Amino acid sequence: MFTTYQEALDWIHGRLRLGIKPGLSRMEWMMDKLGSPEKKIKAVHVGGTNGKGSTVTFLRSILQSGGYTVGTFTSPYIEQFNERISVNGKPISDAEILELTNVIKPLADELEDTELGGPTEFEVITAMAFYYFANTSQIDMVIFEVGLGGRFDSTNIIEPLASIITNIGLDHTAILGDTYEEIAFEKAGIIKETTPIFTAVKHPGALKVIEEMAEKKSAPIYRLNQEFQISGHESIAKGEVFALKSKSLSYEELEISMIGQHQTENASLAVLAADFLNQAGFQVSEQAIRKGLIEAYWPGRFEVLSENPLVIIDGAHNQEGITALVHELSSRYKDRNIHIVFAALKDKKLDEMIGMLDGIADQITFVSFDFPRAAKAEELQQISRSTSKQAVDDWQLHLLEKVKNQHKNEMLVVTGSLYFISEAKPFIIKSLKIHNAI
């Protein structure tokens, strides 16, 4: 038994040595031992390549604005580990993490001695979430974000009221497949019998795979630009405005505080899901929808940490994320000298990602960070074709200097791996406080 939060956290993170082990057998084994907590939860399941966390946040905020208590399970974390299991946007306490770990560890030890093998870090955390939401807290709804893929993801033991697939991109290809269609097949694994699926997938081949799975499962499907349409989009100083229309709803001038045209798609999926939940016993008013959208906040997604100096942090960790980042920078900050600091995991499509950043950055700095799969700064620099590039060993010192010496026409954009962002954000905030105090 663990006696401190840090002991519990060290044990959980120690499970990383087991890597990724797709499959549901270990989760089903643990759930059976725990009395099937996953069957006691009302849930919505959110999968996709990018936009999962934002969509979870939009839906959570809408339901919370409607007076409901909403649990969320997300990954990875940005500011603190506990946020992976949250209630109404607030991470559970260190004491609760400790208690949950002491519930799951004996099961993990027992499972280790079976032919199934011990659970991974993600499986342990998922089991903790199921147990917590079913037995520890009075929750009206839980929104589960898929960790990787969908079909064999450890969250995929739930029977949700609705499922959402945000989009499909070429990420985690070594595990999920090399084509949009192969990846879509894995993502479509979260579609359940007769359970509605809401999707913003645009790639024709990927969408066809999802449509076929929905038909096979007799699941009603709601597709962007078919069953629902977004129009009248306009970027404003601190967010986006758009209109949304479907057979059952029509909203003009919906406003969100998250920046990026792609966020209108994530918000729309949340609104459609909330509208459907009205048929499942929930009562979500237009007022709750509008309030929830404006108040929704998700850290590390084109987040402006400071206006003066202008510092933006964005977890653009794959090709689709970089595409969205470059679009926003080119449309919003044409007059700025853009300095990008970039770190990434080595299993990403780095040539394409860096190529896009080269095209928008006036200066680009490549860094590495303490993570097993992190690419080395020098390796990233070699891929870049920028005429103004550098690799630095100490990313903290570099960021400190940039914050201190930034000119009025410049901006600093820190982007790349979400694991890097989770380290960089608190350091930048601290640096900004020091800078502003001088």
Side-chain angles (χ1 to χ4, degrees):
M1 298 289 283
F2 302 111
T3 57
T4 69
Y5 168 78
Q6 192 58 51
E7 287 176 350
L9 206 57
D10 289 344
W11 177 78
I12 293 170
H13 290 329
R15 312 300 297 179
L16 276 170
R17 61 182 163 72
L18 299 175
I20 299 170
K21 301 198 297 187
L24 302 178
S25 56
R26 286 172 300 278
M27 284 301 302
E28 290 168 344
W29 186 95
M30 287 191 288
M31 292 302 100
D32 181 64
K33 292 285 186 178
L34 291 169
S36 301
E38 79 282 7
K39 295 179 181 178
K40 303 173 185 177
I41 297 169
K42 289 182 179 179
V44 172
H45 206 186
V46 181
T49 301
N50 290 74
K52 296 188 296 292
S54 297
T55 303
V56 168
T57 301
F58 281 125
L59 183 54
R60 188 267 302 164
S61 187
I62 288 170
L63 292 173
Q64 189 178 338
S65 294
Y68 293 101
T69 300
V70 188
T72 53
F73 177 71
T74 56
S75 62
Y77 65 92
I78 297 297
E79 295 172 343
Q80 65 171 126
F81 174 82
N82 302 25
E83 72 192 44
R84 299 184 74 163
I85 304 173
S86 295
V87 178
N88 285 351
K90 295 182 179 180
I92 63 174
S93 68
D94 291 359
E96 287 170 315
I97 291 288
L98 175 60
E99 181 182 347
L100 291 169
T101 307
N102 281 328
V103 169
I104 301 302
K105 185 183 185 300
L107 299 181
D109 292 342
E110 187 178 347
L111 189 54
E112 196 95 48
D113 294 330
T114 72
E115 70 278 2
L116 298 175
T120 65
E121 182 201 43
F122 189 73
E123 287 170 333
V124 163
I125 300 167
T126 309
M128 290 166 58
F130 280 126
Y131 183 85
Y132 178 83
F133 291 131
N135 299 313
T136 309
S137 187
Q138 296 300 313
I139 304 291
D140 297 309
M141 168 67 69
V142 183
I143 311 169
F144 280 94
E145 177 188 341
V146 170
L148 176 65
R151 186 164 63 109
F152 291 129
D153 186 77
S154 57
T155 63
N156 202 28
I157 58 174
I158 58 173
E159 294 292 335
L161 296 173
S163 302
I164 298 172
I165 299 177
T166 56
N167 65 12
I168 301 294
L170 296 177
D171 200 10
H172 300 293
T173 53
I175 298 171
L176 302 180
D178 295 322
T179 68
Y180 284 93
E181 289 78 8
E182 288 174 329
I183 294 173
F185 178 74
E186 297 300 326
K187 306 287 186 183
I190 70 171
I191 299 174
K192 304 295 194 303
E193 291 286 344
T194 68
T195 301
I197 173 72
F198 302 89
T199 184
V201 171
K202 301 187 194 71
H203 186 276
L207 182 58
K208 184 179 179 182
V209 171
I210 292 170
E211 291 169 339
E212 289 173 350
M213 182 63 73
E215 183 178 2
K216 180 180 178 182
K217 298 286 189 178
S218 300
I221 186 169
Y222 301 85
R223 298 159 288 189
L224 176 64
N225 299 327
Q226 295 188 55
E227 285 74 24
F228 67 98
Q229 299 84 33
I230 298 171
S231 62
H233 168 252
E234 178 186 355
S235 292
I236 57 177
K238 294 188 177 181
E240 315 290 333
V241 174
F242 64 101
L244 175 63
K245 187 174 183 179
S246 73
K247 189 175 181 180
S248 63
L249 58 79
S250 180
Y251 293 127
E252 298 291 332
E253 296 186 343
L254 291 173
E255 183 177 339
I256 57 176
S257 300
M258 286 198 240
I259 292 174
Q261 183 175 356
H262 59 288
Q263 294 292 7
T264 66
E265 298 176 5
N266 299 328
S268 296
L269 290 170
V271 172
L272 268 289
D275 182 65
F276 167 77
L277 291 175
N278 278 325
Q279 305 171 34
F282 289 79
Q283 295 182 349
V284 186
S285 66
E286 177 177 344
Q287 181 183 6
I289 288 172
R290 291 185 178 277
K291 183 173 184 286
L293 290 181
I294 290 178
E295 293 182 351
Y297 160 75
W298 189 232
R301 273 62 174 183
F302 208 92
E303 183 178 3
V304 180
L305 297 184
S306 169
E307 295 281 359
N308 184 25
L310 180 55
V311 181
I312 290 173
I313 194 162
D314 187 64
H317 60 284
N318 55 29
Q319 186 178 348
E320 287 70 30
I322 294 292
T323 299
L325 171 63
V326 168
H327 173 79
E328 292 307 317
L329 289 175
S330 61
S331 62
R332 288 176 176 269
Y333 299 104
K334 296 177 183 177
D335 60 334
R336 293 276 186 161
N337 184 290
I338 301 173
H339 179 193
I340 291 177
V341 175
F342 179 72
L345 301 186
K346 54 191 174 187
D347 56 359
K348 302 293 181 178
K349 291 185 176 297
L350 297 173
D351 53 345
E352 297 177 14
M353 295 167 66
I354 292 172
M356 285 188 281
L357 292 176
D358 284 343
I360 194 70
D362 294 285
Q363 181 182 359
I364 187 165
T365 299
F366 298 100
V367 300
S368 189
F369 63 108
D370 186 17
F371 192 77
R373 288 157 44 215
K376 294 185 180 300
E378 293 76 12
E379 295 170 345
L380 299 174
Q381 183 188 32
Q382 288 173 5
I383 296 171
S384 172
R385 295 183 178 181
S386 172
T387 56
S388 182
K389 63 182 179 180
Q390 62 179 331
V392 302
D393 294 326
D394 191 335
W395 63 263
Q396 293 181 328
L397 180 60
H398 179 72
L399 289 179
L400 192 62
E401 291 175 347
K402 288 303 296 183
V403 167
K404 182 180 178 181
N405 300 316
Q406 185 169 300
H407 296 130
K408 285 187 177 181
N409 68 326
E410 295 178 334
M411 67 182 298
L412 176 63
V413 180
V414 182
T415 188
S417 167
L418 287 169
Y419 295 100
F420 173 61
I421 296 302
S422 69
E423 290 187 33
K425 180 180 175 178
F427 179 81
I428 294 171
I429 291 173
K430 183 179 177 181
S431 300
L432 286 165
K433 288 180 180 177
I434 294 172
H435 170 72
N436 291 331
I438 295 174

